[in-house]
């Protein structure tokens, strides 16, 4: 009888973490849908496909990585100041699943390029790898080691998906490196994280109030936004140009 409330609480923690981290892929879905007509229009132009893939991959990380980094950085504040201390066990889940989600967004749009070539098997392989890794790693991790094991297993699931994705991306674009894309995309978020951590070290206070947490959140958003603007300002123009180019080619096809 005592186990039922504990199971319900645990499922609530997991549900909360999944609910928050699922918003990491919103930009990916929008970009993948928007660029798909352009991809189809230039299916016989591998050079243009490569440019579109690089631009789209960098574009989606502008949202995904700062969002996930923000969840990792401010999950304790969200729980303590908004949800209440009874949700303390959810902090690790939110942070861990945010890290897994960040890994999963690297090169997310890759499947659109295979779909444009009428090749659906690669995406099925990635999905199968995800399911198999989740069953073999995340579920046993939860049973054997609790939330810590589940988080470790879920990160391993994302790494397994990335390994499959890397194989298929390299098959299409041999000179493209997913980790190079990830490293470039992580710079703005890391700048924001670094600024907040410096403030926290300088203040030396672990128990933040609402005002301090909000000020640090604004600092994170400001530094991340400024770094993104400085690093990726030409990207939006390039993505727009590529989309227009694909639309023109589609109109003349």
């Amino acid at each position: 009888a005592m186990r039922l409330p504990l199971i319900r609480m645990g499922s609530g923690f997991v549900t909360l973490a999944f609910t928050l981290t699922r918003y990491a892929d919103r930009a990916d879905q929008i970009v993948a849908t928007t660029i798909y007509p352009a991809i189809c229009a230039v299916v016989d132009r591998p050079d243009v496909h490569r440019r579109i893939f690089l631009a789209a991959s960098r574009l989606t990380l502008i949202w995904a990585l700062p969002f996930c980094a923000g969840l990792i950085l401010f999950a304790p504040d969200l729980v303590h100041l908004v949800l209440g201390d009874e949700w303390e066990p959810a902090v690790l889940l939110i942070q861990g699943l945010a890290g897994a989600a960040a890994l999963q967004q690297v090169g997310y749009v890759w499947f659109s390029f295979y779909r444009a070539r009428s090749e659906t098997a690669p995406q099925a392989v990635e999905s199968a790898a995800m399911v198999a890794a989740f069953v073999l790693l995340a579920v046993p991790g939860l049973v054997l080691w609790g939330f810590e094991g589940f988080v470790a297993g879920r990160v391993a699931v994302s790494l397994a998906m990335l390994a499959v994705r890397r194989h298929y991306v390299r098959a299409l674009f041999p000179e493209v490196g997913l980790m190079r894309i990830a490293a470039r995309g992580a710079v703005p978020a890391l700048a924001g994280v670094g600024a907040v951590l410096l403030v926290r070290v300088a203040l030396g206070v672990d128990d933040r109030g609402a005002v301090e947490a909000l000020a640090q959140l604004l600092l994170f958003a400001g530094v991340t936004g400024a770094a993104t603007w400085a690093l990726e300002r030409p990207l939006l123009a390039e993505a727009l140009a590529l989309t227009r180019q694909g639309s023109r080619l589609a109109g003349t096809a």
Side-chain angles (χ1 to χ4, degrees):
M2 292 291 294
R3 290 177 59 86
L4 186 57
L6 293 176
I7 292 174
R8 287 176 176 172
M9 289 178 63
S11 64
F13 299 147
V14 174
T15 300
L16 172 66
F18 271 114
T19 300
L20 291 174
T21 55
R22 71 187 178 91
Y23 290 102
D25 66 355
R26 287 301 181 264
D28 297 313
Q29 294 177 5
I30 294 171
V31 170
T33 302
T34 302
I35 68 171
Y36 187 67
I39 296 173
C40 294
V42 292
V43 71
D44 58 341
R45 296 280 304 278
D47 57 325
V48 178
H49 264 202
R50 182 179 63 83
R51 289 176 56 204
I52 295 176
F53 175 76
L54 288 172
S57 296
R58 288 166 51 196
L59 191 63
T60 58
L61 293 183
I62 288 176
W63 162 257
L65 294 188
F67 178 80
C68 293
L71 280 180
I72 295 172
L73 199 58
F74 293 100
D77 302 302
L78 174 65
V79 168
H80 297 149
L81 300 174
V82 180
L83 300 176
D85 289 340
E86 64 271 19
W87 287 88
E88 173 68 29
V91 171
L92 174 63
L93 283 169
I94 294 171
Q95 293 175 326
L97 294 186
L103 290 172
Q104 222 165 283
Q105 305 318 307
V106 179
Y108 176 90
V109 297
W110 75 277
F111 63 88
S112 297
F113 296 84
Y114 276 95
R115 186 182 297 172
R117 297 156 58 99
S118 299
E119 297 181 32
T120 56
Q123 188 176 5
V125 172
E126 185 189 63
S127 298
M130 178 187 70
V131 173
F134 188 85
V135 172
L136 295 175
L137 298 173
V139 174
L142 177 63
V143 173
L144 295 175
W145 298 290
F147 291 157
E148 293 85 353
F150 180 74
V151 165
R154 187 62 187 83
V155 170
V157 171
S158 294
L159 291 174
M161 292 178 65
L162 270 180
V164 174
R165 187 175 300 174
R166 179 179 180 274
H167 168 76
Y168 285 111
V169 169
R170 280 292 179 89
L172 274 183
F173 313 118
E175 68 279 15
V176 172
L178 288 183
M179 292 304 102
R180 289 198 300 272
I181 296 174
R184 180 188 177 96
V187 171
L190 290 176
V193 170
V196 172
L197 292 181
L198 284 175
V199 170
R200 290 181 180 179
V201 170
L203 294 177
V205 178
D206 293 329
D207 188 15
R208 289 176 294 278
V211 174
E212 292 88 348
L214 179 58
Q216 291 181 14
L217 178 60
L218 292 175
L219 174 65
F220 172 76
V223 173
T224 301
T228 299
W229 179 253
L231 186 65
E232 301 291 14
R233 182 166 42 185
L235 179 59
L236 290 174
E238 180 184 2
L240 182 61
L242 287 170
T243 302
R244 288 176 174 173
Q245 179 182 353
S247 298
R248 286 197 302 269
L249 291 174
T252 59

